[in-house]
Amino acid sequence: MPALIMDAPRATRVSRRLPLLVYVLASGTFLMLTTEFVIAGILPEVAASLQTSLADAGSLITVFAVGMIIGAPLMTLLTVRLPNRITLILALLVFVAGHVLVALSSDFTVLLVARFVTAVATGAFWAVAAIVATRASGAASGARAMGVVGAGGALATVLGVPLGAFIAQAVGWRGTFWALAIAAAAVGLLVAWVLPTDSPGQGRGPIRSSLDGLRSGRLWLALLACLTTSGGVLAAYSYIAPILTDQAGIPARFVPLVLTGFGIGSFAGTLLGGRFGDAHPGLVTILTPAVSTVLIALIAVTAASAPMVILVVLLGLSGLSANGVLIHLAVRHAGHAAPMGSALAVSAFNAGTAISTPIAGATLSTSLGIHGPSVVGAIIIALTLLPTIALAVRNGWRLHGAHPDVVRPKPEAMRCR
């Protein structure tokens, strides 16, 4: 995320270690993003075990996205007065229970319900983690703390998803969910240990105050961009394992390595997007979907293994690199409803996944076959250019610079964050 500290010169003079709590919360976001995307890396194994099609198995990704759509804003409202410590611990307990249920059950309907409930808990965790980290670190280190928590999520594609795929190949896909459940239980114990018992809830007033800033047209443009960005990338990424094996002829044992390459690219792209997005939001939010459209279109027509690996890594670098900038814009344009702006951005990202994944899966049974998800992804992410160009026009951005009001956010909006 871009730096949000107003008194930058003073902030640079303050150097102290971040509280342990920040790193504990970052480990939590690492698990949350790992479980959301790990299905993509083990999709063929899950489908074979449950004796279902790839498209049906892909609905385990869709239902998680739907749970996040509902969970993030709903939990933001419902936990306004609840102590943060209780909210985070309960969310992790539900997370553990959901993963144990998935690991034990062979009923596909039960798995869908467990994934949905787990996603709602994930939404609750995301709704408060950044706010808790910022408050625990103090004004001088709040932005740095938010960066660490966000990096935990970015590392999921670098380490979590490939590691989950390795575990699935070694002991079966259910072992991946057992590992996530055990890790989440450990994080829950750490949260209970390091977070003060008197930690207040994140709300500052009645629920109505969390809705007042949601009338901004620019906010909804940012949210629409969140939806199409994630929808385009995840349409292809959700079926990346069969794309690599069936379309490009890459052996299954090398799929985790390719996923690692995607994750490294995604981590680097997230850092670069945040670094340049504060000064050049128009450039980042317009250029990245344009580049990603070309890359996904090339993935759709590529059948050779080496070029496919290169394209997947480059997609990781560009595909989601504008996410931090888009969340920042959603928070900025929500004004006093900044927490809801952030929650709705999370919902929008997952709405894109929920919409695109079943459409991409449906194309597998058409004449497009395994090329279908990439075709769908290229079309959806190209649509991102409509809201981002509109935002650039409405904000008066130049591609080589940002409107000053975006570079230097108003202090009251940051207090809402």
Side-chain angles (χ1 to χ4, degrees), residues 79 82-97 121 124-125 188 191:
T79 60
L82 193 65
N84 289 321
R85 183 173 187 265
I86 299 300
T87 301
L88 293 172
I89 293 174
L90 286 177
L92 287 165
L93 287 175
V94 174
F95 186 93
V96 171
F125 190 94
V191 169

Side-chain angles (χ1 to χ4, degrees), residues 34-408:
T34 296
T35 197
E36 181 171 6
F37 297 132
V38 73
I39 292 292
I42 59 177
L43 197 61
E45 291 88 346
V46 173
S49 173
L50 299 176
Q51 298 182 341
T52 188
S53 67
L54 287 173
D56 287 342
S59 63
L60 292 171
I61 300 173
T62 305
V63 75
F64 194 96
V66 172
M68 284 285 286
I69 295 168
I70 297 171
L74 180 63
M75 292 301 112
T76 296
L77 294 176
L78 295 182
T79 60
V80 162
R81 302 286 185 184
L82 193 65
N84 289 321
R85 183 173 187 265
I86 299 300
T87 301
L88 293 172
I89 293 174
L90 286 177
L92 287 165
L93 287 175
V94 174
F95 186 93
V96 171
H99 282 72
V100 170
L101 191 57
V102 169
L104 292 175
S105 179
S106 296
D107 187 288
F108 192 68
T109 302
V110 173
L111 264 63
L112 288 173
V113 172
R115 288 282 288 174
F116 177 82
V117 174
T118 302
V120 172
T122 299
F125 190 94
W126 274 101
V128 299
I131 296 171
V132 171
T134 301
R135 289 180 174 177
S137 303
S141 302
R144 187 158 58 101
M146 289 176 66
V148 171
V149 172
L155 281 174
T157 55
V158 180
L159 298 176
V161 174
L163 182 59
F166 276 120
I167 293 174
Q169 291 185 5
V171 299
W173 67 270
R174 297 182 188 277
T176 301
F177 285 86
W178 279 115
L180 285 167
I182 294 170
V187 172
L189 291 174
L190 288 173
V191 169
W193 175 48
V194 301
L195 187 57
T197 57
D198 59 348
S199 176
Q202 71 269 28
R204 284 189 170 92
I207 290 177
R208 183 175 179 180
S209 66
S210 295
L211 303 175
D212 287 342
L214 303 184
R215 301 174 182 176
S216 167
R218 290 182 293 179
L219 165 64
W220 292 100
L221 285 173
L223 295 177
L224 180 58
C226 292
L227 185 149
T228 53
T229 294
S230 63
V233 175
L234 269 299
Y237 186 78
S238 295
Y239 297 93
I240 194 64
I243 287 173
L244 293 173
T245 56
D246 299 347
Q247 180 179 323
I250 296 174
R253 65 181 181 276
F254 293 132
V255 169
L257 295 177
V258 181
L259 295 179
T260 301
F262 178 93
I264 293 172
S266 180
F267 183 68
T270 300
L271 294 177
L272 290 172
R275 178 174 181 178
F276 293 107
D278 202 17
H280 308 282
L283 179 63
V284 172
T285 57
I286 292 173
L287 182 61
T288 54
V291 172
S292 298
T293 299
V294 174
L295 290 172
I296 298 177
L298 289 174
I299 287 174
V301 298
T302 298
S305 57
M308 178 67 80
V309 171
I310 295 172
L311 289 171
V312 169
V313 173
L314 290 176
L315 179 62
L317 184 66
S318 71
L320 303 177
S321 58
N323 283 10
V325 182
L326 291 172
I327 293 174
H328 171 60
L329 292 174
V331 170
R332 168 63 187 155
H333 293 313
H336 288 286
M340 274 301 293
S342 178
L344 287 173
V346 173
S347 292
F349 284 126
N350 286 277
T353 304
I355 293 170
S356 67
T357 303
I359 296 174
T363 62
L364 293 171
S365 58
T366 68
S367 59
L368 290 172
I370 195 61
H371 305 277
S374 301
V375 172
V376 171
I379 293 172
I380 293 177
I381 200 166
L383 295 175
T384 305
L385 295 171
L386 299 177
T388 54
I389 291 174
L391 267 175
V393 171
R394 294 194 62 175
N395 284 312
W397 294 333
R398 299 180 302 273
L399 289 185
H400 62 277
H403 193 282
D405 191 42
V406 176
V407 178
R408 297 177 177 87

